[in-house]
Amino acid sequence: MPENKGLYQHFLARIKHVGDKLFLNAAYTTYLYSDIDPLCAKIQAVMSGAGVQKASRVLVQVEKSAEAVLLYLACLRLGAIFVPLNTGYTQSEVAYFFENSEPDLCVCDPAKKNMFNAIADKKQVMTLGKNQDGDFWDQVQSINREVDIALISGNDVAAILYTSGTTGRSKGAMLSHENLKSNVEVLSTLWQWTEDDVLLHTLPIFHVHGLFVALHCALWTTNTVIFHEKFNVKDVVADLPRSTVLMGVPTHYVRLLDDEGFTQETCKNMRLFLSGSAPLLSETFKQFEERTGHKILERYGMTEAGMITSNPYAGDRVAGTVGFPLPGVEARLGNEQDGKGVLEIKGPNVFKGYWRMPEKTAEEFTSDGYFITGDISSMDADGRISIVGRAKDLIISGGLNVYPKEIESLIDEIEGVNESAVIGVPHPDFGEGVTAIIVLDENVTLCEIDISISLKDKIAAFKQPKKIFIVSSLPRNTMGKVQKNQLRKQYADIYK
Ligand code: MLC
Ligand code: AMP
């Protein structure tokens, strides 16, 4: 019998000795480590009954809940491919993900049942609410059948996470069980997790950061997780004194610093604050240290590769840098000029390619097999990396990626719009604010609100431009290309 290399099997081997230790402490319920396998076996049985098999896709758009975590673990147990979606995605966005991933089962929030029924065959749609409700959970509670853990190889795909591209539609990054396992194995050691750690979890669970980095580290080291529905400053301040680790995006740290109740005393039990998904300003790093005595540990990653680099746990955590490549990850600068180049990486964490898009996959790799991250970086003599720019036209707002091309295409489709440029400019809360600069056709009198209304049903709210400007022309270079750098300079102060 071949060895089971599934991530679930690895977790199981590590958690079985902790028995009744508290795993998830969530708003509506708690689960013990000993609850995980019996419950996942039931969830697996419900999914099997609904026609899900190994390698089937399970498309999930649910509010954050402990049961959603168990659903994810049950997919790993079954060998089904978990496809989580941002809860903010609109019907037209979800319809694309449905068509592209061809799931055997969709699990959605009860409030979105009609929307999913309009997209999928009703038989394929089940609901899971955040308060142990929905027909999916009803079935889990009533079923008395359990199913064996599927035999999985390290190369099998565990999850598909959609990531937009600078051109075209979103691409599904396929992450294998081995990709995920290699990352958590390294991170739990590097960040010195111990069984006594308590993770305060406030991130969404449809992205690498909240789903893989945070939850996997906790499961790997059998930690208790205080599980918040979302990031809310007051709730975080209330629960920090009984936590030891917090992972956040820079916006979370900016918001904590804005709260007078957030003090050194609040952090007395804390061992580690981690930041990533967007650049942490040196100013935030310094203010945080002054207020709490803690140096935030910044790391860098992306959907296609999980975590890639990290500042050291014991050594110097340097503001404005993302540290060193993780053990096992090779990193180099491509097309280096003046000490800067696009970071290219190779390692067991790098994904298996984009779902059913072999050409797009090939475009993102060098001929010798390095993945081209699109992040312009510099590397000092010791190998410490700083992200200094982006070769890709991307905006990161509050840790969420927004691809200007997608928004520009939708704006350009609006009757009366001649052309548009969408840019990110400094925003005190979100890091970058999505901003649209629009040129109308002659003699057209659309206003900013008309544009916002047209976009409302087409894209998630976090992608909506926070400000819209109607202008008579866009700056272009001699080749006719829109000069976004010039626009970014011109609009640099609009959110200050
Ligand atoms: C919410 N809104 C945003 C936004 N989040 N707008 C811009 N950017 C964002 N990130 C909008 C909503 O649509 C809404 O608009 C209004 O702000 C208030 O919504 P909210 O739900 O109350 O927002 P809030 O809870 O305050 O959320 C903000 C946030 C959240 C920063 C806490 O976005 C968040 O938790 N972000 C983390 C994202 C994350 O996990 N990224 C990891 C990606 S993985 P309106 O118009 O309706 O009022 C990755 C790899 C790696 O990148 O390296 O980790
Ligand atoms: P995503 O595709 O959502 O996973 O976003 C990945 C992108 O987020 C990376 O390519 C970087 O551009 C950015 N990113 C993640 N972590 C950091 C960081 N610590 N500093 C700067 N950018 C980051």
Side-chain angles (χ1 to χ4, degrees):
M1 182 86 166
E3 199 187 336
N4 194 336
K5 297 281 180 71
L7 182 61
Y8 187 87
Q9 191 66 36
H10 286 291
F11 285 142
L12 209 55
R14 300 183 64 91
I15 68 181
K16 62 177 184 229
H17 71 281
V18 294
D20 290 343
K21 182 173 179 180
L22 183 58
F23 167 41
L24 283 176
N25 188 355
Y28 297 98
T29 183
T30 55
Y31 289 104
L32 307 177
Y33 271 96
S34 53
D35 292 327
I36 294 178
D37 197 47
L39 263 171
C40 287
K42 288 184 173 199
I43 299 172
Q44 184 178 341
V46 171
M47 288 195 284
S48 300
V52 176
Q53 300 172 0
K54 197 173 158 190
S56 290
R57 274 76 58 211
V58 178
L59 190 72
V60 177
Q61 192 190 36
V62 295
E63 295 298 322
K64 185 175 174 183
S65 71
E67 292 71 32
V69 173
L70 294 169
L71 168 61
Y72 162 59
L73 293 175
C75 284
L76 293 178
R77 194 182 193 276
L78 196 164
I81 301 175
F82 189 68
V83 190
L85 296 183
N86 189 319
T87 47
Y89 285 148
T90 61
Q91 180 165 340
S92 61
E93 289 170 305
V94 174
Y96 168 77
F97 298 121
F98 175 81
E99 275 159 34
N100 188 263
S101 63
E102 295 183 36
D104 284 322
L105 175 68
C106 301
V107 184
C108 70
D109 189 75
K112 294 202 165 130
K113 186 158 187 160
N114 287 343
M115 177 180 116
F116 269 82
N117 281 344
I119 295 168
D121 185 330
K122 278 191 184 143
K123 293 200 290 288
Q124 295 171 289
V125 180
M126 297 181 90
T127 60
L128 175 65
K130 65 179 177 188
N131 189 9
Q132 294 180 295
D133 54 332
D135 54 21
F136 185 78
W137 202 249
D138 291 345
Q139 285 201 24
V140 172
Q141 283 175 318
S142 59
I143 203 162
N144 52 21
R145 197 165 66 87
E146 292 187 3
V147 196
D148 288 342
I149 300 173
L151 182 63
I152 286 159
S153 88
N155 235 344
D156 287 339
V157 178
I160 294 177
L161 266 63
Y162 278 93
T163 159
S164 295
T166 37
T167 53
R169 300 306 301 260
S170 292
K171 301 166 286 185
M174 297 186 284
L175 292 148
S176 71
H177 287 256
E178 177 56 27
N179 289 150
L180 301 177
K181 184 231 164 194
S182 72
N183 223 216
V184 62
E185 202 167 27
V186 163
L187 297 175
S188 54
T189 305
L190 196 74
W191 295 337
Q192 301 192 11
W193 288 71
T194 75
E195 286 185 19
D196 297 329
D197 274 317
V198 175
L199 171 72
L200 181 52
H201 193 295
T202 69
L203 289 156
I205 53 169
F206 41 72
H207 282 305
V208 162
H209 199 162
L211 182 64
F212 299 151
V213 192
L215 277 174
H216 285 181
C217 282
L219 274 159
W220 197 255
T221 324
T222 64
N223 300 126
T224 292
V225 181
I226 302 175
F227 203 59
H228 287 188
E229 235 174 84
K230 60 187 284 198
F231 183 89
N232 174 291
V233 174
K234 295 288 176 219
D235 296 340
V236 171
V237 169
D239 273 340
L240 272 178
R242 56 190 189 116
S243 312
T244 66
V245 182
L246 178 77
M247 289 190 195
V249 299
T251 300
H252 295 173
Y253 292 111
V254 169
R255 290 187 182 183
L256 278 173
L257 285 168
D258 274 347
D259 190 276
E260 283 178 3
F262 177 64
T263 61
Q264 192 145 20
E265 180 62 17
T266 324
C267 306
K268 62 175 193 271
N269 207 21
M270 285 296 291
R271 178 178 76 79
L272 183 59
F273 290 95
L274 288 141
S275 176
S277 309
L280 181 74
L281 295 179
S282 299
E283 197 184 306
T284 312
F285 178 93
K286 285 190 194 115
Q287 281 176 12
F288 199 88
E289 190 180 5
E290 278 161 23
R291 176 86 68 93
T292 66
H294 284 271
K295 284 185 194 283
I296 297 173
L297 193 159
E298 183 170 9
R299 71 4 168 233
Y300 153 80
M302 62 192 298
T303 303
E304 287 90 337
M307 295 303 96
I308 299 166
T309 74
S310 172
N311 267 280
Y313 182 79
D316 280 345
R317 300 178 193 172
V318 179
T321 80
V322 293
F324 302 94
L326 299 181
V329 177
E330 291 167 56
R332 69 182 187 196
L333 302 184
N335 298 324
E336 190 175 341
Q337 274 184 335
D338 305 326
K340 292 175 194 165
V342 175
L343 194 69
E344 298 176 348
I345 57 162
K346 198 184 240 188
N349 54 330
V350 176
F351 74 136
K352 300 286 133 206
Y354 297 112
W355 170 253
R356 292 183 179 164
M357 291 186 184
E359 297 85 12
K360 295 252 181 233
T361 304
E363 280 168 20
E364 308 283 339
F365 283 86
T366 62
S367 54
D368 58 348
Y370 279 73
F371 174 63
I372 306 164
T373 63
D375 290 307
I376 302 173
S377 313
S378 65
M379 210 183 276
D380 73 10
D382 298 331
R384 185 184 281 275
I385 293 170
S386 302
I387 309 292
V388 296
R390 289 177 204 141
K392 48 195 175 189
D393 192 11
L394 160 70
I395 300 169
I396 306 183
S397 170
L400 294 174
N401 289 6
V402 180
Y403 280 86
K405 180 88 176 91
E406 183 187 4
I407 321 295
E408 287 161 4
S409 308
L410 292 171
I411 295 176
D412 294 350
E413 278 171 15
I414 300 172
E415 180 120 4
V417 169
N418 184 287
E419 60 172 353
S420 61
V422 171
I423 53 170
V425 293
H427 189 288
D429 185 31
F430 291 121
E432 289 180 89
V434 178
T435 305
I437 327 289
I438 299 175
V439 179
L440 300 178
D441 289 332
E442 264 177 53
N443 304 321
V444 168
T445 51
L446 284 176
C447 69
E448 292 78 0
I449 293 171
D450 300 323
I451 306 284
S452 298
I453 292 171
S454 295
L455 291 176
K456 198 168 184 314
D457 294 337
K458 298 190 186 120
I459 42 170
F462 74 88
K463 298 183 193 171
Q464 294 278 350
K466 300 264 176 244
K467 286 195 179 175
I468 294 172
F469 297 90
I470 303 220
V471 299
S472 55
S473 65
L474 296 176
R476 292 180 184 280
N477 65 12
T478 46
M479 310 289 286
K481 192 172 182 291
V482 174
Q483 296 296 85
K484 287 200 169 177
N485 273 341
Q486 196 172 320
L487 287 172
R488 278 189 280 265
K489 271 190 206 142
Q490 190 180 339
Y491 291 91
D493 293 334
I494 56 173
Y495 297 107
K496 285 187 180 156

